[in-house]
Every structure is written in structure tokens, then in C-alpha cells.
């Protein structure tokens, strides 16, 4: 994978005085500055309805309406574990890190990762370096802007042209590199130079982005957060040899707070995903996946951040993804009841394989009653049922016994009850309703529950199931109660009138 650099590590640059005099002799640098509007960083919000930082969740479900018993937190060998009131139920795996570690990485207000040094930069002025007009730099800018790919390396073989480029790069130091690359024209200019694939020029730019800005942050990190700078970063890593790429990867991943800030930012996430694609066959990718695992819950409950993890699932081997899948298993319940986390968990279900897939689906099936009553968790249960795996479908239907009346009164839960009625374990659903006439009538009159009762009547009638007659016997004496409200849909179905279609 290593690319040959093809140049000496010691490039002799002219001194700053010599560069200044040379520039002045040929064509003076215009001291023209123009104002560039500050490009605000679009941080992905990590705040959710369910998470405040990364502190361990204490589940508490009230014992009414058929809801689950209390899910309480216990500690075993210093690790937090979740335990339910189910008999013979398994303990959920502990969180990845101890609570004290997660607490130090909690999210601050505004979406920034606490402790991170990366923050939006203030408005700045961009110098206009005109003295390279007509040179290889100018040509490279045009190529970069047009997206036509690399430029013939012979264009910078001329020593005069190369000298101009080196003088230009010598004028960019520290913050001026960030400032210049944060400008659309400046970004295209640097991309053009990188597309020349000249080892000396690439080395010059590489050295500059590894240097520190005035805030003590490597320039490369600041570029990754900028809407124009991240394009420079992407072109740079394409041009690097293996050792240079290794150094860049170390710089990106050495500080977890900074890495998470990158991952939760729109442009930073794009940059991280670019690194993942480039390193997908390299051992260096473990530097990225280890960091993703260390802050897995924060990243996966953030829409932008979760894309970086999904990139790993799509690009890397099963072996490289093993630790990430293990993290998903360990915090699957936290993910399932979070808005963004539930969507990310469904993507995990789509890709996870083997024993890890079995373990994940087994936990989700075991806690089906808890998840079915959650506004987001119910979608995860529906996803598991849609896999049509008899083992897990039966387990879900079994654990929902005693709760079908409760979940049928909820929008998401009613969909789950209807799906269970389409399985060979439909009798468990209907037996729940037949065990309590009051509950049956309550569900039949409910905004969501009436569709469940209609479904129960329909599937039992179609199959000639004797449970159909039992349902009719329970409902017919109370048809007058069903004449009003949503119960009218059930009344119409029993009497043969046209029912209102479900929206």
C-alpha cells in the first residue's frame, strides 16, 4: 500500500528574507485582503430525548396498564448492568467504559464534545497571492475547480515554476494555511497543487497541515471542519505515501475528544468517512474504529456521527467491524429508544452477521415488551419481526403475552400487535383479549386498538379458526357500546358494513 515519495526528505527552502526579495524582484505581492464570511460549523446535535451526556440510564416503568416491571440498574464487578423483573431473564452487557470515563466525555450545550479544543473560527481575512498568475499554480487551480483530475507532473519540472510555488507555500504559515484553505478560491488552488502529484509540493503542504495553529491545534483538524478546507484534506490524503498517511491518521485519532468533535460535524464526518474508505485494507483503520467504539453511544445517537460508523459497516471486513458490532450489542437498548439511535440500530441489524447477529436479535426479542411501549423502540421490534425468523418472532410473541391489550392502545404498539396476528402464534394475541372482556372493549373503542380487533376478526375468520366465534360471542352483546367513536369500525366489520380504512 505504501507509495514511493520520490524526493529527498530535506528540501532546502530559501530563507524568508530571500523569498521576500525574490518575490519583490519578479512581481511584488499585492497586500490586498478581502473579507470572507465566517463559515459556521454545522455541529451534529448529540442531544436527544433520552440521553443527557453518557451517564448510565436508570430505567423506570410504572406498574400500571400492563407495562413492564421496573428495570433497575445493578453493578457487578464495578460495571453497570441492567436487570428486569422477568424471571430467568438475562443480564444486559455492561456499558463499554465505566461511568466516570463516560462522564468526562459528555456532551456540552450546543453539540460540542466536552473537552474538545475544536471550535468554530472567527471571521478572518484571506490574502490574495497574485504573483503566481499564469504559473503551474494557476493551472492547478483551474484543474481543481473543474474536477478533471490530476495535472501532468511535467508542468512543475521547470525550476522557475517550482520556485514560484515554493515561495507561495512559504508565505502560508500556521493560521494563514487555515485562512487560505477556508476560502473557496484558496481551497481550489491548494487542491490543484496536490493534484499535480509532485512529491516536493505534496511534502510542503503535508508539513504545513501537521503544524500547529495559534490555538495549539494541528492545522489538519481545523481544515477537516471547514466547508472548503475538508476538500483540501480529502485531496491531501489521496496524494500521501503510507508513512505520511500514518502520521495524519495518528494526528486525527490521538485525542478522543477532538476525534468525536470531528465525527459529529458535517464536514468533519465527511473527512472521517473519506479516511475510512482510504484505509479499508490497511491496519491503520483500527485507529479509527477503536475511537468509534470508545464513544459509540454518543456517535450512534447523533445523525451525522452515525454515518461514520455506517461507513465502517459498508466498507470494512467483518473482522474489522467486530468491535463495533460488539459495542452495538452492549448498548442496543439505549440505541433502540433513542430517535437517531433506533435508526442507526436498524442499519446495524441490516449488516451484522453470524453469532453477533444472533446475540443482538436475542436481546431485542427478550425485551420486546419494553421496546414495544417506547415511541422509538417499537420500530426496532417491527424490524425484527419483519426478518421472518421463526425463532425470534416466536420469542417476541411470547414475551408480549399479557401486554397485547396495553400495546394495542399505542400507535406503534398497535402495529406490532397486528404483525403478531399475521404469525402462526396469533392465538396468543387473541387469548389475551378473550381473557378480559373489559380490555377487549377498551381496545375495540380505541383510536389505534380498533384496527387490532378488526385484524383479529379478519385473520381468524379467513382461516376458519374457532377463536373467531369466541370473539364474536364476546363482542356482540356490547355492539351498542361500539356504535360511537372509533368502535364503529369494529361494529361495521361485524355487521358487514363498510369500515373506515386505516391511515
Amino acid at each position: 500500500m505504501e507509495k514511493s515519495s520520490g524526493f529527498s526528505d530535506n528540501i532546502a527552502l530559501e530563507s524568508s528574507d530571500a523569498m521576500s526579495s525574490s518575490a519583490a524582484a519578479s512581481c511584488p505581492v499585492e497586500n490586498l485582503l478581502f473579507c470572507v464570511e465566517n463559515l459556521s460549523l454545522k455541529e451534529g446535535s448529540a442531544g436527544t430525548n433520552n440521553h443527557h451526556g453518557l451517564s448510565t440510564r436508570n430505567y423506570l416503568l410504572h406498574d400500571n396498564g400492563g407495562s413492564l416491571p421496573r428495570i433497575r440498574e445493578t453493578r457487578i464487578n464495578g460495571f453497570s448492568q441492567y436487570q428486569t423483573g422477568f424471571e430467568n431473564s438475562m443480564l444486559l452487557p455492561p456499558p463499554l467504559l465505566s461511568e466516570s470515563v463516560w462522564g468526562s466525555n459528555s456532551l456540552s450545550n450546543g453539540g460540542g464534545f466536552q473537552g474538545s479544543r475544536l471550535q468554530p473560527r472567527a471571521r478572518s481575512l484571506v490574502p490574495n497571492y497574485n504573483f503566481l498568475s499564469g504559473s503551474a499554480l494557476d493551472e492547478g487551480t483551474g484543474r481543481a475547480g473543474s474536477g478533471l483530475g490530476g495535472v501532468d507532473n511535467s508542468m512543475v519540472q521547470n525550476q522557475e515554476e517550482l520556485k514560484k510555488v515554493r515561495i507561495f507555500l512559504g508565505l502560508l504559515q500556521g493560521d494563514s494555511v487555515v485562512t487560505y484553505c477556508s476560502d473557496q478560491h484558496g481551497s481550489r488552488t491548494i487542491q490543484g497543487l496536490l493534484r499535480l502529484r509532485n512529491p516536493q509540493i505534496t511534502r510542503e503542504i503535508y508539513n504545513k497541515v501537521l503544524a500547529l495553529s495559534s490555538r495549539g491545534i494541528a492545522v489538519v483538524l481545523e481544515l477537516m471542519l471547514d466547508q472548503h478546507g475538508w476538500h483540501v484534506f480529502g485531496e491531501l490524503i489521496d496524494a500521501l505515501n503510507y508513512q505520511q498517511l500514518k502520521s495524519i491518521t495518528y494526528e486525527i485519532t490521538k485525542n478522543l475528544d477532538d476525534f468525536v468533535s470531528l465525527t459529529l460535524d458535517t464536514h468533519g464526518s465527511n473527512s472521517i468517512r473519506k479516511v475510512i474508505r482510504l484505509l479499508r485494507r490497511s491496519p491503520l483503520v483500527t485507529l479509527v474504529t477503536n475511537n468509534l467504539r470508545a464513544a459509540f453511544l454518543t456517535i450512534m445517537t447523533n445523525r451525522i456521527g452515525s454515518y461514520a460508523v455506517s461507513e465502517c459497516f459498508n466498507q470494512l471486513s467483518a473482522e474489522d467491524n467486530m468491535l463495533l458490532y460488539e459495542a452495538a450489542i452492549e448498548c442496543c437498548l439505549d440505541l433502540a429508544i433513542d430517535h437517531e439511535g433506533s435508526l442507526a440500530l436498524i442499519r446495524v441489524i441490516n449488516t451484522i452477521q453470524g453469532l453477533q447477529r444472533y446475540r443482538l436479535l436475542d436481546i431485542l426479542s427478550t425485551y420486546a415488551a419494553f421496546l414495544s411501549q417506547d415511541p422509538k423502540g417499537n420500530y426496532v421490534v417491527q424490524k425484527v419481526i419483519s426478518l421472518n425468523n421463526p425463532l425470534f418472532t416466536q420469542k417476541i410473541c411470547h414475551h408480549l403475552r399479557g401486554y397485547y391489550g396495553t400495546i394495542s392502545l399505542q400507535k406503534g404498539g398497535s402495529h406490532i400487535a397486528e404483525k403478531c396476528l399475521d404469525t402462526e402464534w396469533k392465538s396468543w394475541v387473541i387469548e389475551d383479549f378473550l381473557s378480559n372482556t373489559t380490555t377487549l372493549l377498551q381496545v375495540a373503542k380505541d383510536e389505534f386498538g380498533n384496527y387490532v380487533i378488526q385484524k383479529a376478526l379478519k385473520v381468524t375468520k379467513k382461516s376458519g379458526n374457532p377463536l373467531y366465534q369466541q370473539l364474536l360471542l364476546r363482542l356482540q352483546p356490547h355492539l351498542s357500546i361500539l356504535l360511537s367513536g372509533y368502535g364503529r369500525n369494529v361494529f361495521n366489520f361485524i355487521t358487514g358494513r363498510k369500515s373506515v380504512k386505516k391511515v
Side-chain angles (χ1 to χ4, degrees):
M1 178 174 177
E2 181 172 353
K3 301 176 184 177
S4 174
S5 60
F7 62 92
S8 171
D9 290 336
N10 299 317
I11 300 176
L13 290 176
E14 290 84 358
S15 66
S16 57
D17 292 337
M19 289 190 303
S20 300
S21 61
S22 175
S26 57
C27 184
V29 180
E30 297 286 339
N31 291 323
L32 300 178
L33 304 176
F34 61 92
C35 184
V36 180
E37 288 193 11
N38 182 42
L39 305 171
S40 61
L41 303 179
K42 298 181 179 179
E43 294 283 335
S45 175
T48 67
N49 293 332
N50 299 301
H51 297 284
H52 301 282
L54 289 170
S55 57
T56 307
R57 181 186 307 283
N58 292 321
Y59 297 101
L60 179 60
L61 301 176
H62 298 291
D63 295 321
N64 55 43
S67 61
L68 284 174
R70 178 191 302 268
I71 294 184
R72 61 185 180 276
E73 178 187 302
T74 61
R75 284 191 175 271
I76 297 179
N77 297 327
F79 293 102
S80 301
Q81 303 213 5
Y82 303 125
Q83 186 176 10
T84 71
F86 287 141
E87 292 184 2
N88 302 322
S89 61
M90 67 171 66
L91 286 176
L92 289 183
L96 284 170
L97 300 177
S98 65
E99 188 169 348
S100 61
V101 175
W102 282 127
S104 66
N105 290 336
S106 61
L107 293 174
S108 62
N109 294 332
F113 201 69
Q114 185 174 355
S116 173
R117 303 164 295 166
L118 299 183
Q119 300 293 337
R121 295 182 64 87
R123 178 174 298 183
S124 57
L125 299 176
V126 183
N128 184 14
Y129 300 108
N130 292 327
F131 67 98
L132 289 169
S133 178
S135 66
L137 173 62
D138 199 39
E139 179 66 20
T141 303
R143 291 300 185 105
S146 63
L148 295 178
V151 182
D152 189 347
N153 194 43
S154 63
M155 299 190 66
V156 289
Q157 295 303 315
N158 182 285
Q159 291 302 310
E160 286 300 318
E161 294 295 310
L162 181 59
K163 183 178 180 180
K164 286 184 178 181
V165 171
R166 292 169 66 188
I167 292 174
F168 161 73
L169 293 176
L171 295 173
L172 295 176
Q173 301 290 339
D175 288 345
S176 64
V177 178
V178 180
T179 300
Y180 193 76
C181 293
S182 297
D183 170 64
Q184 184 177 20
H185 175 74
S187 172
R188 290 180 175 180
T189 298
I190 301 300
Q191 290 179 65
L193 291 178
L194 289 167
R195 290 185 181 184
L196 296 174
R197 294 297 190 264
N198 179 278
Q200 295 185 28
I201 294 175
T202 299
R203 176 78 177 191
E204 293 278 352
I205 299 173
Y206 161 78
N207 287 336
K208 291 183 180 299
V209 300
L210 282 183
L212 299 181
S213 68
S214 61
R215 296 191 294 169
I217 304 170
V219 169
V220 65
L221 300 181
E222 303 213 28
L223 293 182
M224 293 171 71
L225 290 170
D226 185 78
Q227 70 168 348
H228 299 302
W230 85 269
H231 293 291
V232 173
F233 170 79
E235 197 64 53
L236 173 65
I237 61 177
D238 277 338
L240 298 180
N241 62 39
Y242 183 80
Q243 290 302 321
Q244 292 169 334
L245 187 59
K246 183 177 181 180
S247 297
I248 289 287
T249 306
Y250 279 146
E251 189 63 46
I252 295 169
T253 58
K254 69 180 183 181
N255 184 288
L256 181 60
D257 290 331
D258 291 348
F259 176 85
V260 174
S261 291
L262 290 171
T263 307
L264 303 186
D265 174 84
T266 301
H267 309 303
S269 179
N270 288 335
S271 300
I272 296 296
R273 291 162 65 190
K274 169 79 174 181
V275 171
I276 292 169
R277 291 192 294 271
L278 191 62
L279 300 180
R280 64 184 181 274
R281 294 186 180 89
S282 167
L284 292 176
V285 77
T286 58
L287 296 173
V288 178
T289 56
N290 285 343
N291 274 7
L292 291 174
R293 184 188 192 277
F296 192 81
L297 190 59
T298 294
I299 293 173
M300 287 289 275
T301 52
N302 178 277
R303 179 178 59 85
I304 296 172
S306 67
Y307 293 153
V309 180
S310 294
E311 193 73 35
C312 291
F313 294 151
N314 295 329
Q315 297 287 337
L316 306 184
S317 66
E319 182 180 357
D320 289 330
N321 282 323
M322 186 173 294
L323 292 179
L324 293 177
Y325 283 133
E326 198 63 31
I329 294 170
E330 291 174 2
C331 59
C332 63
L333 290 189
D334 277 307
L335 292 174
I337 60 177
D338 179 86
H339 175 66
E340 296 298 340
S342 62
L343 298 176
L345 183 59
I346 288 174
R347 293 198 294 270
V348 173
I349 294 173
N350 289 334
T351 57
I352 193 170
Q353 298 295 329
L355 181 61
Q356 287 182 311
R357 180 180 181 83
Y358 172 86
R359 291 170 54 209
L360 174 61
L361 297 181
D362 186 65
I363 293 174
L364 296 176
S365 301
T366 300
Y367 293 98
F370 165 55
L371 296 176
S372 296
Q373 298 177 76
D374 185 82
K376 305 304 176 184
N378 76 87
Y379 292 109
V380 177
V381 177
Q382 292 184 56
K383 173 65 178 180
V384 177
I385 296 175
S386 71
L387 299 176
N388 295 319
N389 185 307
L391 175 65
F392 300 115
T393 301
Q394 181 183 22
K395 193 166 191 176
I396 289 173
C397 292
H398 172 74
H399 282 292
L400 287 176
R401 297 180 74 176
Y403 301 101
Y404 285 110
T406 301
I407 67 173
S408 294
L409 302 177
Q410 302 165 10
K411 183 177 181 180
S414 66
H415 287 292
I416 293 174
E418 288 187 58
K419 288 180 182 295
C420 291
L421 285 167
D422 282 326
T423 71
E424 58 185 289
W425 300 281
K426 63 175 78 66
S427 60
W428 292 345
V429 185
I430 299 171
E431 287 168 0
D432 251 22
F433 295 135
L434 293 174
S435 65
N436 190 316
T437 303
T438 302
T439 300
L440 175 63
L441 291 174
Q442 182 184 9
V443 174
K445 294 165 55 181
D446 183 73
E447 176 184 3
F448 307 114
N450 76 89
Y451 296 107
V452 178
I453 302 303
Q454 291 182 69
K455 180 80 170 183
L457 291 166
K458 185 182 299 183
V459 297
T460 52
K461 181 179 181 180
K462 184 177 180 180
S463 63
N465 194 310
L467 290 175
Y468 173 70
Q469 294 299 328
Q470 295 183 43
L471 281 172
L472 286 180
L473 288 174
R474 292 294 182 89
L475 289 169
Q476 282 177 336
H478 307 284
L479 286 179
S480 59
I481 299 177
L482 300 177
L483 272 173
S484 61
Y486 294 103
R488 191 170 188 84
N489 292 333
V490 177
F491 175 87
N492 290 339
F493 185 91
I494 294 174
T495 60
R497 299 181 184 181
K498 187 176 180 180
S499 297
V500 179
K501 291 185 177 179
K502 185 177 181 179
V503 180

